[in-house]
Amino acid sequence: MASLKNVRTKIIGVKKTKQITKAMNMVASAKLRGAQSRMERFRPYSCKFQEMILDLSGKMEDSVHPLLGERENPRSCGIILATSDRGLCGGFNTALISAALKLAGEKEAEGLRVRFYHAGRKGRDAIKKSGKPQGELERFTLDPLDFQVAGNLGKAVVEEYLSGDLDQVYLVHGEFVSLSRQKPAVRTILPLPAVDAGGKEPGERLYEPDPASLLASILPHHIKVLIYQGLLETSAGEHAARMAAMDNATRNCDEISAALNLLYNKTRQSAITTDLIDIVSGAEALKG
């Protein structure tokens, strides 16, 4: 049986761990409110932008711009993997990395060369260990997260797509469903997918200059908007997952602490009983 000193040391360690997990839970909760607010504020802008792209692209053929329409016989594929920079958020990053590697396997089975681009250190480190090819693009972090990160990523993949180095581009990011549920999502970035209007016909719009010139100007920005939306969802999902993980860790600390207190009491009672037996045995020996 463990000594009283060892059990007491473990109890102190568990209590200090509980203080850390509780503090991290509060920090994640505060960051989640900010990330969720940014995500919700950006959604109307993203939806309106998609409606305008739908209306513009419906007025002309796919051949009017190289970012529209699928390429015949694609040979290469780029995957942008958005993860967190830090761990301690449960299986959030593991699920994203697994989804990205699964997508890469499917594309390799189709005969495509796959190359990874990263926003977040956890994904970068995992893909590096897997030995998958990675682009020469700078590895971006999500802390702090601003539109410049999505802008640089979007600009780089558009340039490589237009030059023919990439024929397809996908974004693997975390989809924020609720505070208790986050799941991996795969979004097609290039070629630009058809936008679903949700059964609603867009209103009549007048464009200046002509739709073709306007489409050529805003399509690259639309790609940045898609990437930024995915990064915002990933950021909110990361903080929600970390808050839940730290909450579970705090409860586990309570359970371990209760078990250690019980062990401490049993150990102390056993030590007292042993001492009493020694005293009684000594007294009986003196009598004899």
Side-chain angles (χ1 to χ4, degrees), residues 10 12 18 36 41 47 75 97 124 155 174 181 200 203 220 232 238 257:
K10 290 182 179 179
I12 294 173
K18 179 183 175 181
Q36 190 174 3
R41 289 199 307 266
C47 292
R75 295 171 297 176
I97 294 166
R124 176 195 64 189
K155 180 181 178 182
R181 185 184 177 206
K200 298 179 180 179
L232 287 176
E238 171 201 351
S257 181

Side-chain angles (χ1 to χ4, degrees), residues 76-91:
S76 59
C77 170
I79 299 177
I80 302 173
L81 175 57
T83 59
S84 69
D85 294 323
R86 292 180 291 273
L88 298 178
C89 48

Side-chain angles (χ1 to χ4, degrees), residues 131-202:
K132 297 289 185 182
Q134 303 183 68
E136 298 300 325
L137 183 65
E138 177 186 356
R139 277 71 169 172
F140 296 100
T141 63
L142 298 187
D143 190 14
L145 173 60
D146 55 27
F147 191 80
Q148 188 64 30
V149 176
N152 292 334
L153 277 168
K155 180 181 178 182
V157 295
V158 166
E159 289 177 353
E160 295 198 20
Y161 186 84
L162 294 177
S163 66
D165 292 337
L166 293 176
D167 296 317
Q168 296 176 357
V169 179
Y170 296 90
L171 172 65
V172 179
H173 64 93
E175 182 180 353
F176 184 84
V177 181
S178 65
L179 290 176
S180 59
R181 185 184 177 206
Q182 305 84 37
K183 63 179 183 179
V186 178
R187 175 175 292 182
T188 302
I189 301 298
L190 287 170
L192 282 171
V195 182
D196 184 8
K200 298 179 180 179
E201 291 293 333

Side-chain angles (χ1 to χ4, degrees), residues 77 79 81 97-98 100-109 112-118 123-136 139:
C77 170
I79 299 177
L81 175 57
I97 294 166
S98 298
L101 291 175
K102 180 181 178 182
L103 176 62
E106 293 173 352
K107 293 302 176 181
E108 289 174 344
L112 276 67
R113 299 189 310 273
V114 176
R115 190 163 34 180
F116 277 91
Y117 303 88
H118 304 287
R124 176 195 64 189
D125 296 342
I127 298 302
K128 184 178 180 179
K129 289 181 180 179
S130 70
K132 297 289 185 182
Q134 303 183 68
E136 298 300 325
R139 277 71 169 172

